[in-house]
Amino acid sequence: MTHDLMNNVQAVFTAFLNQQKTNQKPTLKPLLGGRSGAGLYTFSLENRKYVLRMFAEMEEIQGRERESKVTNQVAQLGFAPKVYYVDPEYRGMIIEFLPGDTLLPSEAKKPATIKKFAAFLNRLHHSKIENLLSDGYFKRAKEWLAKAQKNKNSFPTGMDKLLKSISEIERMASKYNLPNKLIHGDLI
């Protein structure tokens, strides 16, 4: 862990504790086994278990803000851990600890698991969640690609197909005046 990351972890943790007005001094423990790549730490306070989730340092502030807002809204629908605190500088957030195991690829291929995911996505897409990503996903994908092209990065095969898919989805949504919905890449 870099010195800056350690300082950010401590700053977010301390700010949350100060808000709680507690005399307890919980200890952070790394939370291992997830697939998100985020810096995750667990701690307990007042008989409740929490997760300190540090946002990716490479992510721009708008992306961090968007992630915290979407997480909060999806949590209000009962689909994600409750958000207890978001750092004003968007370095990290404190969320509810939900016990469980990381989904293994072999488990994800089982029909029962696929059926559960499909039901979840159906409920999420038909929810009344405020659309924080109305122009976000495709706009961000195009911005990322433009930045990569400017930096002369090479692209994986199929990138042209992805761009055509994005354009076609945007064209159809515009043609039929479809309402904006929360998406996360499952349309492509």
Side-chain angles (χ1 to χ4, degrees):
M1 184 183 321
T2 68
H3 182 67
D4 285 346
L5 179 57
M6 284 180 13
N7 287 341
N8 287 338
V9 166
Q10 195 58 48
V12 173
F13 186 53
T14 300
F16 172 74
L17 292 177
N18 289 342
Q19 276 192 352
Q20 302 307 303
K21 298 182 175 103
T22 181
N23 292 329
Q24 287 186 343
K25 302 290 182 201
T27 303
L28 287 173
K29 297 176 185 165
L31 181 60
L32 306 174
R35 295 189 183 274
S36 71
L40 302 172
Y41 307 87
T42 61
F43 65 97
S44 295
L45 182 67
E46 308 290 337
N47 297 318
R48 181 174 283 152
K49 198 165 181 182
Y50 298 90
V51 173
L52 166 56
R53 178 182 171 85
M54 296 303 293
F55 296 117
E57 291 179 3
M58 300 169 296
E59 179 76 47
E60 294 180 14
I61 192 93
Q62 295 88 352
R64 296 174 188 198
E65 180 180 13
R66 186 175 33 257
E67 180 180 341
S68 68
K69 287 180 179 180
V70 169
T71 301
N72 194 39
Q73 285 192 338
V74 175
Q76 289 174 20
L77 294 171
F79 298 137
K82 182 177 177 183
V83 177
Y84 292 103
Y85 174 79
V86 177
D87 176 59
E89 296 177 35
Y90 297 104
R91 294 173 290 190
M93 63 183 169
I94 307 290
I95 58 177
E96 171 185 26
F97 175 83
L98 297 176
D101 297 318
T102 300
L103 183 65
L104 300 172
S106 60
E107 193 68 27
K109 294 176 184 176
K110 293 183 178 178
T113 305
I114 293 169
K115 190 173 182 176
K116 285 180 188 177
F117 276 125
F120 164 76
L121 288 173
N122 183 47
R123 286 179 30 222
L124 182 62
H125 285 286
H126 288 91
S127 71
K128 298 295 183 200
I129 191 168
E130 175 190 336
N131 186 16
L132 297 169
L133 305 176
S134 59
D135 67 347
Y137 183 81
F138 295 143
K139 181 180 177 184
R140 286 193 323 274
K142 287 178 179 178
E143 288 170 355
W144 176 82
L145 289 169
K147 188 185 285 187
Q149 285 174 329
K150 182 181 175 184
N151 293 333
K152 297 184 180 11
N153 294 1
S154 60
F155 294 103
T157 56
M159 195 58 67
D160 290 338
K161 184 178 176 184
L162 172 66
L163 287 171
K164 286 178 184 175
S165 297
I166 288 173
S167 295
E168 180 63 14
I169 291 168
E170 288 176 320
R171 187 185 70 72
M172 296 298 286
S174 177
K175 178 179 178 180
Y176 294 104
N177 199 27
L178 299 175
N180 291 323
K181 285 290 191 175
L182 177 70
I183 64 167
H184 43 84
D186 63 323
L187 296 178
I188 298 176

